[in-house]
């Protein structure tokens, strides 16, 4: 069964919807990226691969402009929450506006976490009816046990 696709809770440039997240990302984008990765359930150090990957691949003669961790997390969040979009848009967003992308993902995870309702289903208390009493054991000849119920 296909579910209807939704949109991102905030736009890519909606920094004033959550100024704290955007300030966090502006002053320390790698820290924000690690926070987003951890909140999504991935290794917190995953985005740090994006710092080294372009330099390493360029040194090997392979030009790389799409940061792999940022792109993977963006696609993962989009698929998990059924957000409409395409891989091409995710690549463009991750390449040309990575800071805004991390801020948008952070706002999305914060909004999704706020909207989660936890229902604690406790079973009804059970009362025990008095059961049979323990058997009464009478002493008899050695090796013989006589019990009465």
């Amino acid at each position: 069964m296909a579910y209807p696709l939704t949109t991102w809770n905030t736009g890519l440039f909606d920094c004033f919807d959550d100024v704290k997240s955007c300030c966090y990302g502006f002053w320390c984008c790698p820290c924000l990226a690690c926070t987003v990765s951890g909140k999504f359930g991935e290794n917190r150090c995953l985005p740090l691969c994006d710092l080294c990957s372009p330099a390493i691949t360029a040194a090997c003669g392979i030009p790389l402009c799409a940061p792999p961790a940022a792109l993977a997390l963006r696609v993962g969040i989009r698929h998990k929450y059924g957000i409409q979009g395409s891989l091409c848009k995710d690549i463009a967003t991750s390449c040309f506006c990575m800071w805004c992308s991390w801020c948008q993902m952070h706002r999305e995870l914060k909004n999704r976490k706020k909207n989660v309702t936890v229902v604690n289903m406790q079973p009804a208390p059970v009362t025990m009816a008095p059961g049979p009493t323990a058997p009464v054991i009478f002493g008899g000849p050695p090796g013989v046990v006589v019990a009465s119920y």
Side-chain angles (χ1 to χ4, degrees), residues 5-139:
L5 293 177
T6 62
T7 59
W8 291 91
N9 284 323
T10 59
L12 188 61
F13 304 112
D14 289 343
C15 283
F16 292 109
D17 286 356
D18 185 2
V19 176
K20 287 171 55 175
S21 289
C22 287
C23 285
Y24 182 29
F26 179 76
W27 295 110
C28 191
C29 192
C31 298
L32 175 71
C34 292
T35 300
V36 169
S37 183
K39 282 186 175 190
F40 190 60
E42 293 294 332
N43 188 319
R44 285 187 172 278
C45 297
L46 179 67
L48 298 179
C49 297
D50 287 349
L51 296 176
C52 299
S53 62
I56 291 170
T57 57
C60 296
I62 305 168
L64 177 71
C65 65
L71 178 60
L73 283 169
R74 185 168 183 84
V75 171
I77 289 170
R78 202 169 49 75
H79 280 264
K80 180 176 182 177
Y81 297 116
I83 299 170
Q84 61 189 354
S86 68
L87 186 57
C88 288
K89 288 180 183 177
D90 291 335
I91 291 171
T93 301
S94 297
C95 288
F96 300 112
C97 201
M98 188 187 316
W99 177 69
C100 294
S101 176
W102 282 116
C103 290
Q104 183 185 35
M105 290 187 285
H106 189 250
R107 290 190 306 267
E108 188 71 27
L109 292 175
K110 279 176 66 173
N111 287 338
R112 297 286 177 163
K113 189 148 190 115
K114 271 195 287 190
N115 295 332
V116 171
T117 303
V118 177
V119 178
N120 189 359
M121 297 293 293
Q122 294 289 330
V126 177
T127 56
M128 300 296 290
T133 58
V136 179
I137 301 176
F138 299 104

